[in-house]
Amino acid sequence: MGKITKEIPSKMKEAMKAGDQLTLNTLRSLKTALTNAAIEKGGLSSVLDDAEELTVVRKQVKQREDSVEQFEKAGRKDLSEKERAEIVVLQQFMPEPLTEAEINAILDAVIAETGASSKKDMGNVMKLMKERTESRADGKLLARLVSARLS
C-alpha cells in the first residue's frame, strides 16, 4: 500500500471533525480514483506503489486545472474557485516541485549523456527527463525547456 493511500483516512477524519466539506469531498474523490486505478492494474486486491499513486494524484490535479480553464472561459468564477481549492487539497500529496534551475541542471546532464543536438532527439531526452525529475516537474515546462535547448 502506498503512502498516499495510508494518509487519506486520517486526513478525511480531520476534515470531518473540522466540518470541511470541500476537503472531505476532494479526498473521497481521490480515494475513489486510487481504488479505480488499483482495480485497473490488477483487480480488487491489487495495490498501487507510491509512483503509481502520484500518477493518479497528478491526473486528478490536471483534470481540475482543465476544469478551471473551462469554467473561466464560461464566466463561472464560482466553479473555478472551487476547483482551485480542490487543487490545493490535492497538492499536499505531491512532492515539492523542482525549480527551473534544478530542471536545467538535470537537462544539461541528460543532453551531455545522450549527445542530443536537434529536435529529432527530443523524444529520448524527454523520456530521461521524466524519469529523472520523478514527477516533480510539469510536463509542459519540461517540453518547453527541452525544445528551447534542442532548437
Side-chain angles (χ1 to χ4, degrees):
M1 181 182 294
K3 184 180 111 181
I4 295 171
T5 302
K6 290 178 185 172
E7 282 182 42
I8 289 177
S10 64
K11 293 201 179 282
M12 286 175 72
K13 281 182 190 173
E14 290 172 19
M16 279 186 231
K17 288 179 183 176
D20 187 350
Q21 265 325 108
L22 182 109
T23 300
L24 182 60
N25 290 338
T26 304
L27 292 171
R28 284 180 176 153
S29 171
L30 176 59
K31 185 176 179 183
T32 300
L34 289 166
T35 302
N36 290 340
I39 291 170
E40 286 175 24
K41 178 183 174 185
L44 198 54
S45 61
S46 181
V47 293
L48 301 175
D49 62 27
D50 288 343
E52 292 167 325
E53 286 185 345
L54 273 177
T55 301
V56 172
V57 174
R58 198 174 318 104
K59 187 176 180 181
Q60 293 289 305
V61 170
K62 179 76 174 119
Q63 286 175 351
R64 283 163 176 82
E65 287 171 346
D66 292 343
S67 294
V68 165
E69 188 179 312
Q70 294 300 316
F71 288 141
E72 286 183 350
K73 282 182 185 174
R76 295 296 309 265
K77 189 170 175 60
D78 55 330
L79 294 175
S80 69
E81 291 299 321
K82 178 182 175 282
E83 295 291 323
R84 284 177 207 251
E86 290 180 3
I87 290 171
V88 170
V89 172
L90 292 170
Q91 285 179 331
Q92 68 184 320
F93 297 106
M94 299 291 289
E96 192 67 34
L98 294 169
T99 65
E100 199 164 321
E102 292 170 320
I103 295 169
N104 280 321
I106 295 169
L107 180 56
D108 291 338
V110 168
I111 288 176
E113 184 181 314
T114 61
S117 60
S118 67
K119 291 264 192 203
K120 68 179 182 177
D121 301 317
M122 190 165 170
N124 292 334
V125 173
M126 282 298 294
K127 181 180 177 195
L128 281 173
M129 286 299 293
K130 285 184 179 184
E131 288 173 11
R132 304 249 172 104
T133 57
E134 299 171 348
S135 72
R136 293 180 56 204
D138 179 56
K140 289 179 185 175
L141 174 63
L142 286 179
R144 183 174 52 81
L145 293 173
V146 170
S147 180
R149 189 70 62 88
L150 294 179
S151 56

